[in-house]
Amino acid sequence: MNILLDLFLTFARIGLFTFGGGYAMIAFMERSCVEGKRWISHDELMDITVIAESTPGPIAINCATYVGYKQKGLAGAVAATVGIVLPSFCIILVISAFLDDFLKIAWVAHAFRGIKIAVGILIFDAAAKMICRMPKKPLPLAVMGGAFCAMMLINIFALRISSITLMLIAAILSLSIFGAKRNFAGERRDK
Amino acid sequence: MIYFDLFIGFLEVGLFSFGGAYGAIPLIRDVVLSHGWLEDEALAYMIAVGESTPGPIMVNLATYVGRSQAGLPGALIATAAVVLPSFVIILLVMTLLRKVLENPYAQAVLRGLKPCVIGIVLATGVYMIVRNCGEDAGSVNAPAAAMTALLAGIHFGSRKLWKGGLSPVGLIVLSALFGIACYGWR
């Protein structure tokens, strides 16, 4: 089979069957891209996971782009990435055409009043899991606490400050602390 | 121009979404609220729909918001915009910048970004929970508060009972049943 078509179809299948996103997908990737097609090695998949953690965007997209590029350059990267996005794109397109009418039904609207509560709990839980995995050192903890307080104030007072602003402040802060430490260490070495 | 706004808005989301699926939700919330594309209510519904359908949540939300604002072209533009940054960045990392992520300065930036994202996601979750439980004048909405306590108890308690606990989709289905039980069929 044409490799581009193969990339597209393989990633479309992954895109269609991965619920819960993120790490659920790694297992699926391992089966299809490592054991099945042998497009990448297990170590490479672990590398991609690390790269995905340090770059923006869903890990599914990062993986698809990586594997596609490795097999067939830019065209391969496009085929794999379009493949992984297309199923959810089509599904949401269909759902969104019906959702508004669907929400006018009384019991559906009531169900969604319950669902809204579950979503709050899921977001809280995602944050709790990230806190468990983060390094428990003073600086990260202080940055997290500061960002939490700032974001709460932004939410409560509906301030027009984007969370991107907070992220940029945190990045600059961390970078300048690192730079200062490095300078300090350099000066001590020079003496 | 709506197409341009959608493109830039979701490009920003794609570019700054560190920290996995839920890391992008505060960013999407910023963008859709500031443009008036969705209200908090509709956003929470779409997060639940995204969680219950395949694919990354931020792609689902981009498609939905794009379509609701500007039909099929809007959906295509928003989805392409949200995917584009991670696509380009992975290509750059693979070709030109193999070592950039190991650079100590890049590491320092990431060390600042990651805890900041965690704080932002935590604040978004806490704020959503508190707002669900409260009414306008700061009084408590008793049924919603009771449902929150019950669902949180089941969600975190189920992990003690079996490995992995209740799945997100399981929690969403359960909460839908609670909603109907609480507010009635009609």
Side-chain angles (χ1 to χ4, degrees), chain B residues 124-165:
Chain B
T124 307
V126 169
Y127 178 73
M128 277 190 159
I129 290 172
V130 170
R131 225 217 16 237
N132 284 338
C133 295
E135 278 167 62
D136 303 333
S139 65
V140 177
N141 177 344
M147 254 196 285
T148 304
L150 198 54
L151 284 168
I154 291 170
H155 182 66
F156 292 104
S158 66
R159 268 186 217 157
K160 301 249 180 280
L161 296 178
W162 68 88
K163 194 175 169 284

Side-chain angles (χ1 to χ4, degrees), chain B residues 15-139:
Chain B
L15 192 55
F16 285 92
S17 62
F18 290 87
Y22 282 89
I25 285 174
L27 294 171
I28 295 174
R29 193 168 167 268
D30 272 353
V31 170
V32 297
L33 292 184
S34 68
H35 286 89
W37 289 335
L38 282 187
E39 283 166 21
D40 247 338
E41 192 100 355
L43 182 65
Y45 296 169
M46 279 317 293
I47 293 170
V49 171
E51 185 71 68
S52 323
T53 53
I57 287 188
M58 74 186 223
V59 174
N60 297 335
L61 280 166
T63 308
Y64 176 76
V65 174
R67 185 190 171 278
S68 72
Q69 296 308 310
L72 183 62
L76 281 170
I77 287 171
T79 309
V82 90
V83 170
L84 203 59
S86 48
F87 180 81
V88 172
I89 287 170
I90 289 294
L91 287 185
L92 286 177
V93 168
M94 284 183 78
T95 51
L96 307 172
L97 308 169
R98 278 220 160 258
K99 294 269 171 252
V100 75
L101 293 175
E102 291 156 27
N103 177 297
Y105 290 97
Q107 290 284 329
V109 168
L110 288 170
R111 270 203 306 278
L113 278 181
K114 284 179 182 173
C116 180
V117 170
I118 298 174
I120 290 170
V121 176
L122 184 66
T124 307
V126 169
Y127 178 73
M128 277 190 159
I129 290 172
V130 170
R131 225 217 16 237
N132 284 338
C133 295
E135 278 167 62
D136 303 333
S139 65

Side-chain angles (χ1 to χ4, degrees), chain A residues 57 69 96 110 125 155 163 174, chain B residues 29-30 67 95 108 155 159 184:
Chain A
Y69 185 80
S96 66
H110 295 159
D125 186 28
N155 280 332
S163 45
S174 171
Chain B
R29 193 168 167 268
D30 272 353
R67 185 190 171 278
T95 51
H155 182 66
R159 268 186 217 157

Side-chain angles (χ1 to χ4, degrees), chain A residues 3-4 31 41-42 59-60 84 92-93 100 106 114 123 140 164 187:
Chain A
I3 178 76
L4 289 180
R31 265 203 309 280
S41 67
H42 174 79
I59 189 163
I84 204 155
I92 294 294
L93 216 53
D100 287 347
I123 296 177
I164 294 174
E187 269 168 30

Side-chain angles (χ1 to χ4, degrees), chain A residues 33-48:
Chain A
C33 295
V34 178
E35 290 161 16
K37 303 274 181 192
R38 299 188 182 276
W39 281 335
I40 50 170
S41 67
H42 174 79
D43 287 346
E44 265 183 302
L45 184 63
M46 291 302 105
D47 271 356
I48 302 173

